Amino acid sequence: MTAFLTKIPNHFDLPRRINRLGEMAYNLWWTWNPNAQRLFNRMDNALWERLNHNPLRFLRSVGRFEINAAAQDPVYLELYDRVFTNFDDYLKTTDTWTARTYKTRSKQTIAYFSMEFGLHETLPIYSGGLGVLAGDHLKQASDLGLSLVGVGLMYAEGYFTQRISEDGWQDSINNPLNFDELPVLQVLDKKGETLKITVKFPDRAVNARIWELRVGRLPLYLLDSDLDENTPNDRKLTTRLYWSDIDLRVAQEILLGIGGVRALRAMGYEPGVWHMNEPHAAFLTLERARELVHTGLTFKKAMAKTRKGNIFTTHTPVPAGNDEFPLWLIDKNLSNFWPELNLGRDQFVDLARHKEPWGETFSMPILALRHSDGRNAVSELHGRVSRKIWHFLWPNIEDENDVPITYITNGVHTPTWMARRLRLLFDKYLGEGWLDRLDDPETWTKVDSIPDTELWAVRRHLKRKLALYMLGRVRTRWMEGDFHPVQAIASGAMLDPNALTIGFARRFATYKRASLVFSDLNRLLEIINRPNRPVQIIFSGKAHPADEPGKMLIQEVYRVVKKAENGGRLVFLEDYDMNLARYLVQGVDVWMNTPRRPNEASGTSGMKAALNGALNFSVLDGWWREAFNGSNGWAIGEDVDPGTEVQDESDAESLYDTLENKIIPLYYTERGGEDIPHKWVVMIKESLRTVTPQFSTRRMLKEYIDRLYMPGMK
Ligand SMILES: *Cc1c(COP(=O)(O)O)cnc(C)c1O
């Protein structure tokens, strides 16, 4: 088991009886344990909401009166004691899945590298699904008792806050984060001073310090180059996610890959497995080899010795979506590094040389694929696409199917994404300890025993909660001023908490085809405005600030959303983040996804919706292609071979047709005296039964452990 290197400061002025709240504020365990959250929000819910669920800020701001009241309230204290008993048991127990399953070999640490981690809305060091997956991976590793440490970057500003102007243009707001208000603590050396690591570039050295973040039982280490001794430009390496400036970008990846290995060494880690989530950290394969070259081995021998422990997960199904750098940039940033590997310039470039139509590049996925023994894609179809894309790297393998890239379909961390009300319902009907058996399909056969009335009551509650949340946001924005009334309506002011509600929220990348549903606008308006069967669609999502087509897509959606003819039933919510994602996946009836196949490597938001009882309505791409069984949701288009795609037009036709003839009638008809759409509820139960166990990180991480981590350690 891993240990933490930092000490939690006791700087909250709390009564002794409840002074461990400060400790809880510094461990993200509370984010997936609703009772622990209630220790904060029960004191002052309005403040808790206003501070964006930030326990550090909350404990510093909450009033004396509220604190003292809690410390004297027997109900609160009972909850407090129960939560801390659970928390202590969780941290101390040695009886974990990993310990039970791998008695002897579970001691070696796994280092998990990612450019972004989506753990909670207060820590905006993620941009989208890749980061949220990494965050879920850590939480699940903690739950399974896996000895894993995360490695990433601590961004001074984090990902941007999105504002949509009246004409639908995305403005990005970058505000510096106040690390003092975040649950991160600086790692110190033996003398009690800031521990620093150094990465040398040809013309300079860059220093970085390390922040520790507790995710249940395990630490996440975040590198930060914002130090006085670095040049202004080098301080920018950890200001924002994914610089578009390739000079900064390559240096950022050098810091993560090479600096990340050095940071782990400086802290005394000897990981047995090194996992790269996307190839941004692929320089770590070279740094690990360098360590052995330094002891006298040739590069070839050093690589042969280290590559077995390297694991690379690809998430990108389009070759152009991959990170690659022009060779001059490699010369500029790494010419001091290849001599340390005892390689010449050409030998070094050969490690990842890629011929593109516009010239030669140094390709990060090629670097990662060539120097890892474990390689995987993130869904079955994505596995096939990846083997095809990268077949040329294995010229001796004739059959594309034999290309050594396997797949492990993504999952989501159930306790993070499931509504508390639903958890309580499952506590009642799935039997004790169901969360520890959630990846066992057997656990879910019991959903049939849940009365429709109870399940439907929770669903209605969650939708009302979403509607009220949106109204609250509209009100806040309105009071801030500079908000046109039409923007208030476009933000959900006229939504009906009883109408069939569809959610569409994700990054606005063009392949996700956010505007597919508008292909025949008159038909759509006719569908959503039927007086007895209204339908509303909630859109949300950010485009990368440098992605002009993505921003234009938002504008296209926003223009339609602003039209009076839609009756306020089409909505765009600003600033999609993990908080809004939780409200949406929990509150909507239908989760829609319309990617152009096969570009959605996996997708995960639909899994979050399914485990909350929303039904998926999506293109048969990524995960949904594996999950859809004909009676647990709906498909858009057909499951044809990629390449022979039925295109936008027929997908749109399928979308309208299914909405009109299947989804809407199922929701609105045959409701009986209790006004419950029983057939809809049957479908919810089928979706819960089939999706929740399989598309969980509990199933996913066990696969990583069994198929990649343990073999990598042998
Ligand atoms: C889950 C999640 C995503 C990923 O969604 P996709 O289905 O991959 O589009 C992106 N952003 C946030 C905030 C999420 O919670």
Side-chain angles (χ1 to χ4, degrees):
M1 194 58 39
T2 39
F4 299 113
L5 301 175
T6 56
K7 264 214 190 71
I8 294 176
N10 187 2
H11 50 198
F12 305 104
D13 184 19
L14 294 167
R16 174 172 300 161
R17 180 68 177 85
I18 56 172
N19 72 357
R20 292 189 68 197
L21 287 174
E23 201 181 316
M24 188 66 76
Y26 275 98
N27 191 323
L28 293 179
W29 181 81
W30 71 265
T31 65
W32 70 95
N33 286 277
N35 280 337
Q37 285 171 53
R38 285 171 69 219
L39 292 180
F40 301 113
N41 71 9
R42 272 188 65 121
M43 275 191 198
D44 184 343
N45 192 47
L47 182 68
W48 176 248
E49 291 299 327
R50 188 149 54 77
L51 298 180
N52 193 30
H53 316 139
N54 181 330
L56 277 97
R57 287 183 69 192
F58 180 82
L59 290 178
R60 284 176 195 151
S61 328
V62 65
R64 255 305 110 193
F65 177 80
E66 284 77 13
I67 291 179
N68 290 336
Q72 283 156 26
D73 172 1
V75 180
Y76 184 88
L77 294 176
E78 191 274 329
L79 178 70
Y80 178 92
D81 292 337
R82 194 149 41 94
V83 167
F84 277 94
T85 304
N86 288 340
F87 185 50
D88 291 337
D89 285 350
Y90 182 87
L91 292 181
K92 280 189 202 124
T93 186
T94 49
D95 181 24
T96 63
W97 179 86
T98 308
R100 286 193 299 272
T101 314
Y102 293 97
K103 289 185 183 63
T104 52
R105 257 186 296 114
S106 53
K107 295 229 167 57
Q108 270 184 309
T109 300
I110 292 131
Y112 181 87
F113 282 65
S114 181
M115 197 79 155
E116 50 173 308
F117 286 91
L119 290 150
H120 189 252
E121 54 268 23
T122 48
L123 277 159
I125 56 171
Y126 63 95
S127 75
L130 181 75
V132 175
L133 181 81
D136 279 7
H137 196 102
L138 295 192
K139 292 170 183 169
Q140 188 64 59
S142 171
D143 286 350
L144 289 179
L146 189 67
S147 178
L148 181 143
V149 297
V151 180
L153 302 179
M154 185 66 204
Y155 299 100
E157 290 179 352
Y159 205 50
F160 70 95
T161 300
Q162 180 195 53
R163 280 292 166 89
I164 305 294
S165 68
E166 197 201 326
D167 68 351
W169 196 244
Q170 167 181 294
D171 293 322
S172 36
I173 303 168
N174 290 291
N175 285 323
L177 300 173
N178 183 350
F179 290 6
D180 190 41
E181 294 176 341
L182 297 176
V184 292
L185 293 166
Q186 253 194 86
V187 177
L188 305 177
D189 63 16
K190 285 202 185 76
K191 283 181 269 163
E193 284 166 28
T194 306
L195 180 68
K196 289 181 191 172
I197 57 107
T198 305
V199 177
K200 290 209 172 85
F201 288 79
D203 55 345
R204 67 196 195 278
V206 176
N207 286 350
R209 59 181 161 174
I210 306 161
W211 297 90
E212 185 178 68
L213 176 63
R214 293 165 198 235
V215 185
R217 299 174 172 119
L218 56 87
L220 166 60
Y221 294 109
L222 298 164
L223 273 59
D224 171 8
S225 71
D226 189 13
L227 294 168
D228 290 338
E229 64 258 38
N230 289 333
T231 66
N233 215 46
D234 288 333
R235 296 180 74 153
K236 276 166 71 176
L237 295 183
T238 54
T239 305
R240 291 189 193 163
L241 286 83
Y242 306 117
W243 284 111
S244 320
D245 175 334
I246 50 173
D247 225 329
L248 282 171
R249 179 74 167 263
V250 74
Q252 218 172 22
E253 298 191 9
I254 289 170
L255 180 65
L256 176 65
I258 297 177
V261 176
R262 295 199 180 158
L264 289 177
R265 298 303 186 205
M267 293 183 289
Y269 281 100
E270 299 290 336
V273 163
W274 303 71
H275 186 176
M276 292 160 265
N277 187 43
E278 278 289 52
H280 306 118
F283 289 120
L284 79 80
T285 61
L286 302 181
E287 172 63 7
R288 289 192 63 214
R290 190 199 59 81
E291 294 177 330
L292 293 186
V293 170
H294 193 68
T295 68
L297 262 56
T298 62
F299 174 76
K300 221 171 156 184
K301 283 224 171 84
M303 188 50 81
K305 266 196 126 136
T306 49
R307 56 172 299 139
K308 199 169 64 61
N310 294 339
I311 292 167
F312 166 54
T313 302
T314 170
H315 295 263
T316 313
V318 273
N322 275 301
D323 247 1
E324 46 188 356
F325 299 111
L327 299 186
W328 62 263
L329 195 64
I330 296 299
D331 292 339
K332 186 174 163 200
N333 285 279
L334 288 152
S335 60
N336 62 322
F337 189 66
W338 57 71
E340 297 214 38
L341 300 172
N342 277 333
L343 296 179
R345 191 262 186 187
D346 283 346
Q347 290 170 302
F348 183 81
V349 169
D350 279 345
L351 300 174
R353 199 189 289 274
H354 195 204
K355 292 195 176 63
E356 292 283 13
W358 60 88
E360 285 191 327
T361 67
F362 189 90
S363 155
M364 295 302 280
I366 292 180
L367 184 67
L369 285 165
R370 284 236 180 93
H371 303 109
S372 306
D373 273 3
R375 308 169 202 89
N376 74 294
V378 292
S379 71
E380 194 272 330
L381 183 61
H382 180 229
R384 265 199 269 156
V385 172
S386 302
R387 288 189 287 278
K388 190 188 182 92
I389 295 177
W390 303 113
H391 189 180
F392 73 95
L393 293 177
W394 286 271
N396 298 328
I397 293 178
E398 209 160 303
D399 187 347
E400 194 173 288
N401 297 314
D402 297 333
V403 170
I405 302 175
T406 183
Y407 76 91
I408 294 176
T409 304
N410 285 342
V412 293
H413 185 245
T414 314
T416 294
W417 295 104
M418 188 180 279
R420 192 174 79 92
R421 278 283 181 103
L422 210 51
R423 263 170 91 152
L424 293 174
L425 189 68
F426 292 152
D427 284 347
K428 190 165 156 195
Y429 290 99
L430 298 187
E432 199 165 335
W434 65 271
L435 266 174
D436 296 328
R437 292 180 282 107
L438 77 91
D439 53 328
D440 179 358
E442 189 61 31
T443 304
W444 296 92
T445 55
K446 296 211 184 86
V447 292
D448 277 337
S449 65
I450 304 174
D452 287 4
T453 43
E454 289 187 43
L455 185 52
W456 192 243
V458 174
R459 292 293 317 150
R460 286 178 53 108
H461 164 79
L462 293 174
K463 190 152 70 175
R464 259 196 316 272
K465 217 176 123 187
L466 167 64
L468 286 173
Y469 173 69
M470 285 193 286
L471 280 182
R473 280 173 54 126
V474 173
R475 197 183 317 278
T476 308
R477 273 296 276 120
W478 180 251
M479 289 169 77
E480 281 169 23
D482 201 15
F483 200 51
H484 193 278
V486 77
Q487 290 178 279
I489 293 166
S491 308
M494 299 209 307
L495 278 188
D496 172 354
N498 294 313
L500 173 60
T501 305
I502 300 174
F504 181 101
R506 48 195 34 89
R507 272 184 313 116
F508 268 65
T510 48
Y511 79 83
K512 302 221 185 205
R513 293 192 296 187
S515 59
L516 187 75
V517 66
F518 299 154
S519 330
D520 183 343
L521 195 55
N522 289 332
R523 189 165 172 192
L524 179 71
L525 292 174
E526 197 273 318
I527 291 173
I528 65 173
N529 284 324
R530 284 187 211 156
N532 297 325
R533 299 175 167 196
V535 177
Q536 41 203 22
I537 309 180
I538 304 173
F539 296 89
S540 190
K542 296 175 177 177
H544 187 282
D547 178 8
E548 297 300 317
K551 289 194 279 191
M552 279 157 72
L553 193 55
I554 290 178
Q555 188 167 43
E556 191 186 333
V557 170
Y558 205 75
R559 286 205 171 125
V560 178
V561 161
K562 280 199 310 183
K563 281 180 193 287
E565 301 95 290
N566 72 46
R569 295 192 171 102
L570 300 178
V571 165
F572 188 100
L573 298 182
E574 286 179 328
D575 205 29
Y576 185 48
D577 69 351
M578 288 181 73
N579 186 36
L580 185 50
R582 266 198 321 273
Y583 275 103
L584 285 171
V585 297
Q586 294 175 4
V588 301
D589 298 296
V590 172
W591 194 256
M592 183 169 74
N593 191 13
T594 53
R596 193 172 282 127
R597 276 164 47 101
N599 288 351
E600 185 82 312
S602 167
T604 51
S605 54
M607 305 171 189
K608 303 169 193 166
L611 65 86
N612 281 296
L615 295 171
N616 277 275
F617 174 39
S618 295
V619 169
L620 293 172
D621 196 7
W623 80 280
W624 183 235
R625 198 180 144 267
E626 293 164 43
F628 177 62
N629 69 1
S631 50
N632 58 359
W634 301 274
I636 297 171
E638 284 163 40
D639 186 12
V640 292
D641 267 349
T644 58
E645 293 307 307
V646 269
Q647 282 303 321
D648 298 4
E649 215 171 291
S650 65
D651 281 354
E653 174 57 35
S654 160
L655 190 157
Y656 293 129
D657 186 57
T658 309
L659 257 182
E660 285 167 336
N661 298 314
K662 293 186 176 153
I663 300 178
I664 297 170
L666 193 71
Y667 186 84
Y668 281 112
T669 46
E670 296 186 54
R671 284 189 163 222
E674 296 163 302
D675 197 22
I676 295 176
H678 289 286
K679 286 191 175 153
W680 186 277
V681 177
V682 166
M683 204 179 239
I684 290 178
K685 289 180 176 175
E686 177 68 5
S687 166
L688 286 170
R689 186 167 39 228
T690 53
V691 175
T692 316
Q694 182 65 13
F695 299 92
S696 62
T697 44
R698 201 171 163 89
R699 183 276 309 154
M700 175 192 89
L701 195 64
K702 284 181 182 177
E703 273 197 65
Y704 274 99
I705 297 170
D706 293 342
R707 296 174 49 205
L708 297 174
Y709 291 167
M710 290 302 162
M713 281 181 192
K714 267 192 207 138

